[in-house]
Amino acid sequence: EPIDTRRDAILAIDIGGTKFAAGLVTFRGELIDRSRVDVERDVGPQSHFAGLAGIVNEQLERADQHELRVRAIGIGSAGPLERDCETVSPLNIPSWRRFPLRQHLRDLTGLAVYGDLDAKALALSEGWLGAARGVASFCAITVSTGVGGGLVIDGELLDGATGNAGHVGHIIVEPGGRRCGCGARGCLEAEASGLAIEAITGRPPTEPTYETMRRTGRLVGRAAGMICTAMDLDLVVVGGSVALGFGATFFNVAQEEIDAVARVGQGAAARITPVRLGDRGPLIGAGAVGIRGMRRRSRVAA
């Protein structure tokens, strides 16, 4: 059935470390409504899903009130995950280990479900309506509890062999540095994520010293510069509570580091910029995941 951009919407879901959010995103990228619920600590997998199901049902009811027709579900989830959120294992939700989220949501709603990593969803939203609008090739990085990323090259979001392309958190920025959960040493995630900052400094990332903000910016800039050189990019869009919380101190140092390491190629120097969609970004990105999934399915059907 053809899409009516005025009436049709995606039920967008954001699976974060501390909260679940659901909302209604139109095919023009408008976030019409949203609900959120805190992720409870120390409960079983079905209790987590019950919390999510509550806000999903709430948004489906609101869709009727807004006279919107929900066409599919789009999910942006913290990783790791299997393609289309067949299973999800967000680091911060210990009881969700290979939790079959897609099937649960299909059983709950009867809708088609498409899912992707939160950082790839963010890349879609920022390329659609945000800081990378009109840019064919760029990298998006999220620096929050963990570090994630997404790569858009020549207008296409890269998936890779398992759907996890763009996982920039495992670029090594401090050779011989801290042991990462992946087994390597000195990964960006082990040195500059919110969890790493707390482990290194003994303070939450909401209470950083000036030096912590500078060091984090330097390490993210180092990874970003290497990505720009390898992929021939001139734009890196950064979101996540840690990066945005550290603000100009972080971004200025990150830019200095990119300028120092990304000297290859003849184009303009790569620049690093904060996301533009703010707290709407994750849900708009999840909506974009749903739209992308629908378009792909219609291409396959054709």
Side-chain angles (χ1 to χ4, degrees):
E1 196 172 344
I3 286 157
D4 178 345
T5 55
R6 286 188 315 279
R7 286 193 51 226
D8 286 359
I10 300 288
L11 178 65
I13 296 174
D14 175 41
I15 305 289
T18 57
K19 68 171 191 332
F20 296 140
L24 301 168
V25 176
T26 70
F27 283 71
R28 294 174 178 174
E30 300 150 309
L31 180 60
I32 302 292
D33 206 323
R34 60 171 139 178
S35 311
R36 56 170 285 175
V37 61
D38 289 335
V39 172
E40 289 182 76
R41 289 275 149 255
D42 308 319
V43 299
Q46 294 303 331
S47 295
H48 286 308
F49 185 73
L52 177 61
I55 58 170
V56 166
N57 286 328
E58 184 172 49
Q59 286 298 308
L60 287 172
E61 284 171 25
R62 299 223 188 130
D64 289 339
Q65 292 163 22
H66 294 296
E67 298 185 347
L68 291 170
R69 182 172 56 165
V70 176
R71 297 293 298 264
I73 290 176
I75 311 165
S77 175
L81 51 84
E82 290 178 85
R83 202 180 283 274
D84 261 335
C85 292
E86 203 63 61
T87 73
V88 299
S89 310
L91 289 178
N92 280 36
I93 307 179
S95 78
W96 272 11
R97 284 298 167 264
R98 303 199 63 197
F99 180 76
L101 180 61
R102 185 166 179 242
Q103 191 61 49
H104 273 67
L105 285 167
R106 281 174 64 171
D107 292 345
L108 178 72
T109 65
L111 293 163
V113 179
Y114 305 99
D116 215 330
L117 289 165
D118 50 2
K120 286 172 70 187
L122 190 78
L124 287 177
S125 67
E126 288 292 322
W128 187 13
L129 298 163
R133 189 173 190 168
V135 179
S137 300
F138 67 96
C139 176
I141 300 177
T142 55
V143 187
S144 54
T145 309
V147 176
L151 290 163
V152 174
I153 307 289
D154 302 333
E156 287 292 325
L157 178 67
L158 299 190
D159 288 321
T162 63
N164 291 282
H167 204 328
V168 300
H170 298 293
I171 290 175
I172 292 173
V173 290
E174 290 275 33
R178 296 182 74 243
R179 176 75 69 191
C180 181
C182 76
R185 284 190 178 276
C187 291
L188 183 61
E189 186 158 88
E191 300 285 351
S193 65
L195 288 175
I197 289 165
E198 195 153 351
I200 293 166
T201 65
R203 302 159 64 122
T206 48
E207 299 168 17
T209 63
Y210 181 63
E211 190 36 55
T212 295
M213 294 192 283
R214 285 184 59 86
R215 178 177 185 269
T216 307
R218 196 160 57 242
L219 295 177
V220 173
R222 186 172 300 166
M226 288 190 272
I227 296 161
C228 289
T229 301
M231 293 291 180
D232 189 16
L233 308 177
D234 57 16
L235 179 66
V236 179
V237 181
V238 179
S241 55
V242 171
L244 299 177
F246 291 0
T249 303
F250 169 94
F251 282 95
N252 291 342
V253 177
Q255 185 66 61
E256 285 169 22
E257 189 71 13
I258 289 178
D259 292 344
V261 303
R263 288 272 179 237
V264 182
Q266 304 307 310
R271 63 188 181 89
I272 189 164
T273 185
V275 292
R276 198 172 289 161
L277 297 176
D279 71 349
R280 293 179 302 136
L283 284 173
I284 292 173
V289 167
I291 293 170
R292 180 183 189 229
M294 282 183 67
R295 288 202 174 125
R296 285 178 150 188
R297 193 177 65 178
S298 67
R299 278 207 297 272
V300 170

